Amino acid sequence: MEKLSMLFDDVALLWEKYASSYLTGMGRTLLLAVIATLAGCVIGFACGVVQTIPCSKNDFFLKRVLLGLVRGILRAYIEIFRGTPMILQAVFIYFGLPYFTNNAMQFRNLWAVSILVVSINTGAYMAESVRGGILSIDRGQTEGAKAIGMTHVQTMTSVILPQALRNILPQIGNNFIINVKDTSVMFIIGFTDFFSVHKAVVGATYRYFPSAAIEMAGYLTMTLVASLLLRWLEKRLEGSGNYELVQTDPLITTAGTYNYPGKGSPFDESSREHRETMEKEEEA
Amino acid sequence: MNQPILQVQHLSKSFGRREILRDIDFSVFPGDVISIIGASGSGKSTLLRCINLLETPTGGKITFHGQDQTLRGTSAAAYRAKVGMVFQSFNLFNNMTVLENCMVGQVKVLKRKRDVAREKALHFLEQVGMAPYVNARPQQISGGQKQRVAIARALAMEPEILLFDEPTSALDPEMVGEVLSVMRKLAREGMTMLVVTHEMAFARDVSNRVVFMNQGVIGEEAPPQELFTNPKHPETRDFLSRFMAG
């Protein structure tokens, strides 16, 4: 009990002094996570579309070779960025560019590097999620779109991806929440996010635990809010279960009329007259 | 003077070692309503899917207005835009309303303006009696209604031929009539149609030619009066007697 009230005092003290730093840190973390997740989604969707391009024996040789090559590159990209720690990828890219260009080129903007690294890392994960999402959509949807003359890209953007998006929304949420937390490794190249505020604060005050408590609460708040928002979005995408009838369906009652040659089908010219006379009779 | 719209020449299709279609030959002329009948597994649906290039033929030619569509580098998409298809399982786009289903192809493929496309879509939905349901989603309507929307979707592209792949086979019996009556009306209006069906009454009354498929080849091709009353081949007779009995 005593310890607990001590903790509250310490937290209050730190918050009073560093609240704006913590809040700016949270803002930067969130911003990075949002941008990188969105960019990662775009990369993932692009990869998913390319990976599902159909390839038939009827296509030109060059197209098949090119397609094979692009698929190979994408495969390598996914495996490399899924299979190595993001903290290392950050170092690798941040220091790699000056290394290879003899310092002629380097990243001057930490935001740019951070967004780049987190985006392509997220993209690698998203590519597989999107591929799974595309595979989860019934083949009939693709065939329906092809049958009215849509190209692969049109089929994907108009029909398949909107449906796949709904299926993989939980995955996107997962990635976003992971990104909120994992962007903390960007401190390695000097990006100042929420976690780096902690390092700065304890450097100045040596109050490790109280600051960590604030950080825990802060990250949890961000992820919980994100969770709630995503649930809401999922609900919204499902759409309403209702629709409005403009009028009644004139054909529905005629099911089976085909077997009654005497009455004819509702499309017979005579039938319309028949209906009209019936209506008149009813009115009379 | 009467040139065929579509010609199928020596068409063959194998899945791996299994030969599904062998040396199929026939032509479709403007205004033709051709019913393709035959036992399950005789290759009817595969034939239709080959014609629309949803399956790549293993051999032979499919010529549309004299142009071979199986050649390398021909655009299957451009060809399919002129050849409509109605599926057994409807395949309406689940992420769109009834109206959007009938508009999307016009807007994306034919590059029509949205209001023009909407007008056309409404016109064809009206024709199939689905105008009241423009705002419904495919999950909310019955099988027969879905199939009528699917027909309107195909019609909205104003195709030169309409292919039907067992359009009533997935329907409850009481919904078969509404779909068949729409198809009858199309036939009467002069639409060129190729219908794979188990509805013998439709084949007999509506089509001007009937193709009987038997184990991957065309067993018999004749006008319906002839094929139904006086089948030449024993297989045709066999199939028809089994069908009429059941």
Side-chain angles (χ1 to χ4, degrees):
Chain A
M1 219 44 225
E2 204 180 302
K3 281 280 172 204
L4 218 56
S5 70
M6 207 170 91
L7 176 64
F8 279 126
D9 288 346
D10 281 335
V11 166
L13 198 80
L14 284 181
W15 188 253
E16 202 177 322
K17 208 166 165 191
Y18 298 105
S20 67
S21 308
Y22 280 121
L23 287 175
T24 340
M26 273 169 99
R28 289 167 66 94
T29 290
L30 271 181
L31 192 61
L32 177 58
V34 168
I35 295 175
T37 307
L38 288 179
C41 283
V42 173
I43 297 174
F45 274 100
C47 290
V49 172
V50 173
Q51 278 183 316
T52 51
I53 291 177
C55 192
S56 78
K57 270 184 261 164
N58 238 6
D59 289 321
F60 285 114
F61 182 68
L62 192 67
K63 180 186 165 191
R64 277 152 61 195
V65 170
L66 217 65
L67 207 58
L69 197 69
V70 171
R71 277 186 194 163
I73 293 171
L74 286 183
R75 199 70 237 151
Y77 154 66
I78 291 167
E79 293 303 341
I80 290 172
F81 280 87
R82 244 179 10 167
T84 54
M86 191 157 74
I87 191 166
L88 257 177
Q89 291 162 14
V91 174
F92 194 75
I93 290 175
Y94 185 62
F95 295 106
L97 187 69
Y99 186 89
F100 276 106
T101 58
N102 283 327
N103 290 328
M105 278 165 75
Q106 42 189 292
F107 292 103
R108 306 211 180 274
N109 188 336
L110 281 176
W111 269 106
V113 203
S114 303
I115 290 171
L116 181 72
V117 172
V118 183
S119 300
I120 51 184
N121 186 278
T122 312
Y125 282 93
M126 282 305 302
E128 287 299 276
S129 301
V130 171
R131 205 167 61 87
I134 291 172
L135 292 179
S136 76
I137 305 299
D138 180 40
R139 266 186 66 84
Q141 296 286 308
T142 313
E143 292 191 347
K146 291 235 164 105
I148 53 171
M150 286 194 186
T151 60
H152 179 69
V153 173
Q154 286 170 337
T155 304
M156 281 294 154
T157 53
S158 312
V159 178
I160 306 298
L161 290 183
Q163 295 182 54
L165 176 68
R166 226 176 73 180
N167 286 357
I168 61 169
L169 203 64
Q171 294 272 8
I172 295 176
N174 238 346
N175 271 316
F176 177 65
I177 284 173
I178 288 172
N179 276 346
V180 168
K181 298 178 299 171
D182 284 8
T183 43
S184 56
V185 302
M186 286 301 136
F187 80 87
I188 198 84
I189 55 168
F191 182 80
T192 50
D193 71 337
F194 190 36
F195 178 67
S196 67
V197 175
H198 167 72
K199 294 187 59 164
V201 168
V202 295
T205 65
Y206 298 103
R207 286 172 208 268
Y208 283 90
F209 184 69
S211 176
I214 293 177
E215 293 275 321
M216 287 289 272
Y219 273 115
L220 200 59
T221 312
M222 289 193 281
T223 52
L224 282 179
V225 169
S227 262
L228 281 174
L229 281 177
L230 283 159
R231 279 285 154 84
W232 172 79
L233 189 67
E234 244 172 87
K235 271 243 166 76
R236 249 199 60 153
L237 276 183
E238 256 170 42
S240 91
N242 301 319
Y243 64 96
E244 259 178 63
L245 274 190
V246 179
Q247 31 176 284
T248 48
D249 179 2
L251 255 197
I252 193 88
T253 51
T254 66
T257 46
Y258 186 67
N259 294 326
Y260 288 91
K263 276 191 183 170
S265 93
F267 292 102
D268 289 330
E269 290 75 8
S270 62
S271 156
R272 179 168 291 169
E273 285 165 28
H274 175 73
R275 207 170 53 223
E276 276 165 9
T277 48
M278 290 294 276
E279 277 166 11
K280 267 182 206 156
E281 271 172 33
E282 254 170 57
E283 276 169 29
Chain B
M1 50 146 223
N2 211 359
Q3 292 285 327
I5 304 181
L6 186 90
Q7 267 179 303
V8 177
Q9 292 165 327
H10 306 297
L11 183 80
S12 64
K13 173 71 186 173
S14 312
F15 290 114
R17 286 230 189 102
R18 238 172 74 86
E19 203 175 36
I20 308 292
L21 296 175
R22 209 155 9 108
D23 204 21
I24 304 282
D25 269 291
F26 71 95
S27 305
V28 183
F29 293 89
D32 267 351
V33 177
I34 301 177
S35 291
I36 303 173
I37 61 172
S40 299
S42 59
K44 310 180 297 286
S45 287
T46 308
L47 171 60
L48 210 63
R49 292 169 59 83
C50 277
I51 289 176
N52 205 10
L53 299 179
L54 284 175
E55 305 287 352
T56 313
T58 318
K61 281 204 258 183
I62 293 167
T63 54
F64 185 69
H65 289 300
Q67 283 192 328
D68 188 2
Q69 299 298 324
T70 55
L71 285 179
R72 262 176 205 195
T74 46
S75 161
Y79 164 64
R80 288 195 195 109
K82 295 180 202 139
V83 179
M85 176 118 172
V86 174
F87 297 88
Q88 180 177 355
S89 49
F90 328 123
N91 297 347
L92 292 181
F93 306 134
N94 293 326
N95 57 325
M96 300 175 199
T97 63
V98 163
L99 182 66
E100 286 163 346
N101 260 283
C102 300
M103 284 173 63
V104 64
Q106 301 183 62
V107 174
K108 302 273 172 187
V109 179
L110 302 179
K111 313 285 178 205
R112 284 187 186 147
K113 290 242 159 54
R114 280 195 75 85
D115 44 333
V116 178
R118 165 189 286 273
E119 202 101 315
K120 278 246 190 290
L122 283 173
H123 168 73
F124 288 110
L125 282 169
E126 186 115 5
Q127 279 210 322
V128 300
M130 284 302 291
Y133 290 85
V134 284
N135 296 325
R137 296 200 163 257
Q139 307 86 289
Q140 298 166 325
I141 55 181
S142 73
Q145 293 176 324
K146 280 185 204 176
Q147 197 59 296
R148 277 146 60 192
V149 174
I151 293 173
R153 177 177 74 181
L155 287 174
M157 300 296 289
E158 299 180 320
E160 295 181 43
I161 306 184
L162 207 45
L163 311 176
F164 291 83
D165 186 9
E166 304 198 25
T168 57
S169 297
L171 296 176
D172 291 335
E174 75 265 23
M175 293 169 183
V176 171
E178 64 192 68
V179 172
L180 286 183
S181 64
V182 167
M183 290 167 62
R184 270 212 319 178
K185 183 199 174 210
L186 287 177
R188 205 172 312 137
E189 284 173 352
M191 185 80 208
T192 311
M193 291 157 66
L194 212 54
V195 187
V196 168
T197 188
H198 289 294
E199 296 289 332
M200 291 305 144
F202 179 86
R204 189 186 56 215
D205 302 342
V206 182
S207 45
N208 65 338
R209 261 190 300 155
V210 179
V211 171
F212 169 66
M213 293 281 296
N214 186 34
Q215 298 182 341
V217 295
I218 294 184
E220 190 166 345
E221 182 184 347
Q225 312 83 291
E226 209 176 305
L227 192 125
F228 281 102
T229 52
N230 188 19
K232 286 200 182 60
H233 296 265
E235 289 93 355
T236 320
R237 215 168 303 147
D238 234 38
F239 171 77
L240 287 177
S241 67
R242 246 182 304 136
F243 222 93
M244 295 312 182

